[in-house]
Amino acid sequence: MNQKEDSAPSDAEAPNVLVADETAEFSADAAKDSAPEESAPTGAAESEPVSTETESQEAAESAESEEESAEPGYRPIKTMADKKPVTHVIGQTKIIAIINQKGGVGKSTTAVNLSAALGCNDKQVLLVDLDPQGNATSGLGIDKSQIHRDVYDVLLSDTPVNEAIIPDVCKGLDLLPATINLAGAEVELVNEIARENRLKSEIGQLRGTYDYIFIDCPPSLGLLTINALVAADKLLIPIQCEFYALEGVTKLLDSMKRVKSLLNPTLDIFGVLLTMYDSRTTLSKQVAEEVRRFFGKSVFDTMIPRTVKLSEAPSYGQPITEYDPSGKGGQAYFSLAKEVISRG
């Protein structure tokens, strides 16, 4: 999925509190045994272990309270009947596929956080999770075991797309979720009529309902990705600032050209996004320079930094705009959202 870009207090922390208690009690007993009996009044010797025990209990309760509050909660699964009314005029809908056949470059992280950042900028956004891993779905705090209809049903079971969309996951953001059911779609689509156009025919009817529709693609060039290429107007390509960054991009561009010539003549690159950028390393700077040399003005000015908060946010089921909006990662995605809006 991708950049996991997950850290939460775990049950392993509780034993540490107990160890601290035993250590404190052992230290207090040792001090009591080693001190001369006449050096301290009896009352003082008796009161010290009580004080230590009280402090240890308070520490344990505090740690337990922090652990309970840190557990990620799932968002309610609503239907389109519960969707809040849109308060602005929707312009021309832009359908953008976030794609790179290489895994772990930040596709799902970008799909979730860019969509949420645009929602915070008063845009109506639909995020389509087309990855069988469903990282974008879980990253937004949706319990996949409770989903009754997903993108698989839309593609292969003739389920109306509006019946599968979960509205208002975040401000201005709706989600077309994915579950493990989607893993079989590659094989099942082979025998379907107009198999490359399934996604296009479904989300095409949503034009005029959303300002942006983002498609989070799987890390492959199979039929699901071909469906995304046919449905999309433009491509957003995240590229990790690591060695092998451009490896495989050439093959992706070849696939884009074939789809453009045969199935989707309007398909083009919307932008290239540098992710996991570390300004402290020479390698990141060299990769950024190479990507800018190769893609030119298509590369966004905003670069997504490598931060712990971006990795932690999915484990809490929150986009970075909720989890840490003022941090470097949150500010980077807000900046990217403004660039996306400015590109029209």
Side-chain angles (χ1 to χ4, degrees):
M1 215 244 32
N2 303 337
Q3 183 179 3
K4 297 273 176 275
E5 323 162 3
D6 304 317
S7 167
S10 65
D11 292 339
E13 294 181 358
N16 292 335
V17 177
L18 296 178
V19 171
D21 292 351
E22 294 169 358
T23 303
E25 291 174 1
F26 176 80
S27 300
D29 290 342
K32 178 181 176 182
D33 293 340
S34 62
E37 294 183 2
E38 302 81 15
S39 60
T42 304
E46 292 175 351
S47 63
E48 185 174 350
V50 174
S51 175
T52 303
E53 183 178 353
T54 302
E55 291 174 358
S56 300
Q57 288 176 350
E58 291 175 352
E61 290 172 358
S62 175
E64 185 178 344
S65 175
E66 289 178 2
E67 184 174 343
E68 290 175 356
S69 64
E71 291 180 359
Y74 291 116
R75 300 177 191 267
I77 297 180
K78 306 176 185 177
T79 65
M80 288 299 283
D82 304 315
K83 182 173 173 58
K84 297 177 182 178
V86 179
T87 57
H88 70 277
V89 177
I90 302 293
Q92 183 178 3
T93 301
K94 301 167 188 65
I95 303 178
I96 301 173
I98 301 177
I99 184 171
N100 190 328
Q101 71 183 76
K102 188 175 183 296
V105 300
K107 290 189 297 294
S108 296
T109 298
T110 295
V112 168
N113 294 322
L114 175 57
S115 297
L118 286 166
C120 291
N121 279 273
D122 298 321
K123 300 296 182 181
Q124 277 292 309
V125 183
L126 173 66
L127 174 55
V128 179
D129 190 352
L130 203 61
D131 188 344
Q133 297 178 79
N135 290 333
T137 299
S138 57
L140 284 169
I142 300 299
D143 184 357
K144 288 184 280 189
S145 67
Q146 300 301 313
I147 295 173
H148 300 295
R149 287 175 173 76
D150 63 0
V151 68
Y152 170 87
D153 299 300
V154 172
L155 293 175
L156 289 158
S157 299
D158 298 322
T159 297
V161 65
N162 279 328
E163 291 186 12
I165 292 175
I166 302 173
D168 301 326
V169 176
C170 300
K171 179 186 177 184
L173 174 58
D174 295 354
L175 173 69
L176 180 54
T179 65
I180 194 61
N181 294 337
L182 193 59
E186 294 275 5
V187 176
E188 295 178 50
L189 280 169
V190 170
N191 298 319
E192 295 292 327
I193 298 174
R195 58 193 181 188
E196 301 91 351
N197 291 282
R198 285 301 182 98
L199 185 63
K200 179 179 180 179
S201 63
E202 292 298 332
I203 67 173
Q205 59 189 283
L206 298 174
R207 289 185 183 274
T209 307
Y210 296 96
D211 295 295
Y212 296 93
I213 297 176
F214 289 103
I215 307 170
D216 182 25
C217 299
S220 68
L221 291 177
L223 273 173
L224 289 176
T225 299
I226 297 301
N227 264 266
L229 290 172
V230 173
D233 302 321
K234 306 287 182 182
L235 303 181
L236 192 158
I237 306 174
I239 295 182
Q240 184 181 10
C241 292
E242 299 281 352
F243 196 65
Y244 300 131
L246 293 174
E247 186 175 287
V249 173
T250 302
K251 190 173 182 179
L252 170 61
L253 296 178
D254 288 342
S255 297
M256 185 194 79
K257 289 176 183 177
R258 286 198 297 271
V259 170
K260 183 173 183 176
S261 63
L262 298 173
L263 299 168
N264 186 1
T266 64
L267 186 64
D268 208 345
I269 294 177
F270 179 73
V272 176
L273 177 65
L274 291 163
T275 62
M276 304 182 196
Y277 179 77
D278 188 345
S279 60
R280 299 169 298 177
T281 66
T282 302
L283 177 61
S284 283
K285 295 176 183 178
Q286 290 175 340
V287 171
E289 290 174 2
E290 184 68 20
V291 171
R292 292 187 188 280
R293 188 180 303 116
F294 188 84
F295 286 102
K297 293 182 179 179
S298 295
V299 183
F300 289 105
D301 293 332
T302 301
M303 294 185 288
I304 306 303
R306 182 188 292 275
T307 72
V308 173
K309 294 296 185 181
L310 281 174
S311 300
E312 287 179 347
S315 67
Y316 288 82
Q318 295 179 329
I320 196 65
T321 54
E322 291 181 358
Y323 183 67
D324 185 36
S326 60
K328 289 193 297 183
Q331 290 301 305
Y333 276 108
F334 280 123
S335 175
L336 177 63
K338 292 179 180 178
E339 274 198 79
V340 168
I341 293 170
S342 68
R343 290 194 179 191

